[in-house]
Amino acid sequence: MFFKSLHSPLVGTVGVLAALGLLAIPLRHLTSATPAHPLPAAPSRPTAADTTPALLRLKLLTPARSIRVHTENGETLLDLTNIAAGESEHDASLPLHDANLELLLEADLGDNPSDTAVFLTIMPDAYEEQTRYVIGSGKLDEPLHYDWHNH
């Protein structure tokens, strides 16, 4: 009779719970014990709080000799040479100040006398994408203003 009761689901459940209870005692000491040596604090990066990760999408209607995009502080975000017409995407860290961004686009579009366009789309984390464009030929130096304030 005793051996038949060992095969019941109730006895099996009690056996599993007893085994887990015995394991819980050493696990409690491992998980809730204070460390013997405090862990050193991770070094802080002051620029990480000032920048926002973003994706830059550059679209050219014609090939260009060079494209450079700088922040208002002079930090280079893009520096490309001999770019084919089409789209390309690039990772960047943008210095957004009060949801505003000022960039300077420098483009050398070559000797083609007809006007063409350069489109720059900014896609920062937690903000909607915005596109600005410059139309012209030859060498262009144009400021681009991006604003994410709710109107």
Side-chain angles (χ1 to χ4, degrees):
M1 179 80 175
F2 176 71
F3 292 114
K4 284 188 177 186
S5 65
L6 289 179
H7 296 294
S8 74
L10 181 62
V11 172
T13 303
V14 168
V16 169
L17 290 176
L20 288 175
L22 290 174
L23 283 175
I25 294 170
L27 288 177
R28 180 180 171 271
H29 291 292
L30 286 175
T31 58
S32 65
T34 58
H37 302 286
L39 298 175
S44 64
R45 294 177 41 188
T47 58
D50 298 338
T51 61
T52 301
L55 187 65
L56 306 180
R57 182 180 298 142
L58 178 68
K59 183 176 182 181
L60 299 173
L61 298 183
T62 59
R65 288 184 186 159
S66 67
I67 299 285
R68 287 178 183 77
V69 178
H70 303 280
T71 64
E72 61 186 349
N73 298 334
E75 180 185 343
T76 302
L77 297 177
L78 281 180
D79 189 2
L80 306 171
T81 56
N82 298 324
I83 309 112
E87 283 189 12
S88 61
E89 292 185 349
H90 311 273
D91 292 325
S93 292
L94 302 176
L96 294 180
H97 301 289
D98 297 322
N100 288 310
L101 178 64
E102 296 289 335
L103 297 177
L104 176 64
L105 173 71
E106 298 174 3
D108 183 355
L109 301 173
D111 298 328
N112 188 353
S114 62
D115 283 348
T116 187
V118 177
F119 296 85
L120 185 63
T121 302
I122 306 292
M123 296 175 274
D125 286 356
Y127 293 97
E128 292 184 20
E129 70 179 53
Q130 290 189 15
T131 302
R132 302 293 181 265
Y133 62 91
V134 176
I135 298 175
S137 62
K139 292 189 177 190
L140 304 172
D141 289 331
E142 293 290 328
L144 303 174
H145 176 73
Y146 296 85
D147 181 11
W148 285 275
H149 287 288
N150 292 331
H151 298 287

